[in-house]
């Protein structure tokens, strides 16, 4: 079973890397940008037949290692 995990900074956390990306794109002539926020993406394949159990295991992985819960949020999608 395959899942994707989208990790983003929480809304109230400053994103200096996103600001640098935005400024660079604007310097390249893309002037319609309002904002850019960067994040992480994981594609995880797990050997589990039960979707609920599989999603719970992925969530556990996120909470233990993949996500900094103090500054990041995450969403899990079955693919």
């Amino acid at each position: 079973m395959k899942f994707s995990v989208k990790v983003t900074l929480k809304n109230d956390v400053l994103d200096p890397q996103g600001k640098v990306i935005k400024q660079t794109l604007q310097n390249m002539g893309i002037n319609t940008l309002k904002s850019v926020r960067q994040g992480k993406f994981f594609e995880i394949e797990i050997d589990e037949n039960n979707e609920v159990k599989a999603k719970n295991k992925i969530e556990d992985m996120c909470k233990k290692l993949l996500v900094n819960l103090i500054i990041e949020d995450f969403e899990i999608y079955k693919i």
Side-chain angles (χ1 to χ4, degrees):
M1 201 170 290
K2 278 182 132 179
F3 291 86
S4 66
V5 178
K6 179 178 84 169
V7 181
T8 55
L9 290 170
K10 293 184 179 199
N11 287 333
D12 57 340
V13 173
L14 296 177
D15 184 4
Q17 187 173 358
K19 287 184 181 192
V20 169
I21 293 167
K22 178 186 175 210
Q23 186 62 49
T24 302
L25 289 170
Q26 287 175 328
N27 291 343
M28 295 170 67
I30 302 169
N31 297 316
T32 56
L33 286 173
K34 286 189 165 193
S35 67
V36 175
R37 291 192 55 89
Q38 61 87 35
K40 299 183 276 190
F41 173 81
F42 298 97
E43 189 172 285
I44 301 169
E45 190 168 1
I46 188 167
D47 188 17
E48 176 63 64
N49 294 324
N50 181 303
E51 185 174 341
V52 173
K53 286 182 180 179
K55 193 170 183 178
N56 287 339
K57 289 179 182 179
I58 299 294
E59 186 171 345
D60 193 44
M61 291 177 204
C62 289
K63 289 178 178 178
K64 288 183 176 178
L65 179 67
L66 302 178
V67 178
N68 180 341
L69 296 173
I70 296 169
I71 63 168
E72 295 175 320
D73 290 323
F74 66 95
E75 296 177 49
I76 301 170
Y77 305 93
K78 185 176 181 300
I79 54 176

